[in-house]
Amino acid sequence: MNGRFAISMHILTLLEQFKGEVLSSDFIAGSININPVLVRKEISNLKKHHLVESKEGKAGGFTLAKPASQIMVSDIYKAVGTNSVLGKSVNDPNPDCKIGKQINKQLNALYEDVENAVIKKLGNISLAEFHKNFS
Amino acid sequence: MNGRFAISMHILTLLEQFKGEVLSSDFIAGSININPVLVRKEISNLKKHHLVESKEGKAGGFTLAKPASQIMVSDIYKAVGTNSVLGKSVNDPNPDCKIGKQINKQLNALYEDVENAVIKKLGNISLAEFHKNFS
DNA sequence: CTTTACTGTAATAATATTGGTTACAGTAAA
DNA sequence: TTTACTGTAACCAATATTATTACAGTAAAG
């Protein structure tokens, strides 16, 4: 995976920290230390998954779409949802080989198992709980 | 993660399938459909972790270093051990922000938790069991 | 109604990571 | 001493990721 999960977590934790306020992409980018456009792109995705709401125009910006207690870290993980935990099985193995012929299917089954374990684990933690760790 | 875990799984499953025989990197590469040098590179790592043994010279090649029943998929995962399941927290966040200052520490704790869940899951499956799925 | 401070998004450039290839020294069987 | 391998280094190509620029659209505030 890439750094997108970390960015989404950072964004959402910030929004919880400043709940009640509307945060601009510039402000958020300043905390993460990345380009504001990346923040807007990432939030565009979080909006699609109903985790964040935005307001356009002057004094516009972002807020959480629902209470942090109702956002599970697994929701964030699924929203970011890039590639699998164990990587991709991008190879195009030899179909004339018994192992090559079936390896992708078997690996994908394994990947799915692990993915579910991860989601279960992250489903135990809400954004509110994650945020409580910040002293 | 990248495709290295898939490659290692493929290599080890092949070695189990042809146990008793010594497989060359050319043969293995033919099944995976990648370059033989990549196979040797990946096996170089598996050797370091005592999962594979090699024999140099003519008629040389590779074999499993121990019975497949004694190799857990978690061992393979740990051997490949590239980056974390949830990605990296490569950002260099703003230390003047309460969230930015602590986010990496908090994310790393989360990552470790998830990593352990994955290892636990993969610790239930041996290479022998994985190989049994191939009909 | 125009200025200001924002979002939204496309297009592109820079950088990092990953995978592929060539080359060749070293080894051991035949 | 030839042959068929491993072991690695060095380099190149392909791909993925992240950063930047640019600008249209929106809404509050004067």
Side-chain angles (χ1 to χ4, degrees), chain A residues 28-46:
Chain A
I28 296 171
S31 171
I32 309 181
N33 198 22
I34 60 173
N35 194 290
V37 175
L38 282 187
V39 172
R40 299 204 287 272
K41 270 189 198 161
E42 202 51 42
I43 286 182
S44 163
N45 179 57
L46 294 172

Side-chain angles (χ1 to χ4, degrees), chain A residues 1 86-90 111, chain B residues 1-6 80 82-83:
Chain A
M1 197 188 282
L86 298 179
K88 39 196 168 162
S89 48
V90 284
Y111 288 6
Chain B
M1 198 189 280
N2 48 33
R4 284 186 50 220
F5 176 76
V80 172
T82 44
N83 42 22

Side-chain angles (χ1 to χ4, degrees), chain A residues 17-115:
Chain A
Q17 173 70 21
F18 293 94
K19 69 184 148 192
E21 300 177 45
V22 171
L23 303 188
S24 73
S25 59
D26 255 40
F27 177 84
I28 296 171
S31 171
I32 309 181
N33 198 22
I34 60 173
N35 194 290
V37 175
L38 282 187
V39 172
R40 299 204 287 272
K41 270 189 198 161
E42 202 51 42
I43 286 182
S44 163
N45 179 57
L46 294 172
K47 279 176 65 181
K48 250 187 259 168
H49 291 85
H50 314 294
L51 299 176
V52 169
E53 279 171 358
S54 69
K55 200 182 139 198
E56 290 198 349
K58 189 168 179 176
F62 308 97
T63 53
L64 289 180
K66 48 187 164 183
S69 58
Q70 284 169 40
I71 297 177
M72 293 299 153
V73 178
S74 55
D75 298 329
I76 304 167
Y77 176 76
K78 284 186 272 188
V80 172
T82 47
N83 42 21
S84 163
V85 166
L86 298 179
K88 39 196 168 162
S89 48
V90 284
N91 306 317
D92 180 22
N94 187 345
D96 297 336
C97 168
K98 176 178 158 182
I99 302 302
K101 195 170 152 189
Q102 299 176 66
I103 188 79
N104 280 342
K105 188 181 145 213
Q106 296 303 333
L107 282 177
N108 284 332
L110 183 66
Y111 288 6
E112 209 172 300
D113 258 26
V114 172
E115 195 80 357

Side-chain angles (χ1 to χ4, degrees), chain B residues 57-75:
Chain B
K58 190 168 179 176
F62 308 97
T63 52
L64 289 180
K66 49 187 165 182
S69 60
Q70 284 170 40
I71 297 177
M72 293 298 153
V73 177
S74 54
D75 297 329

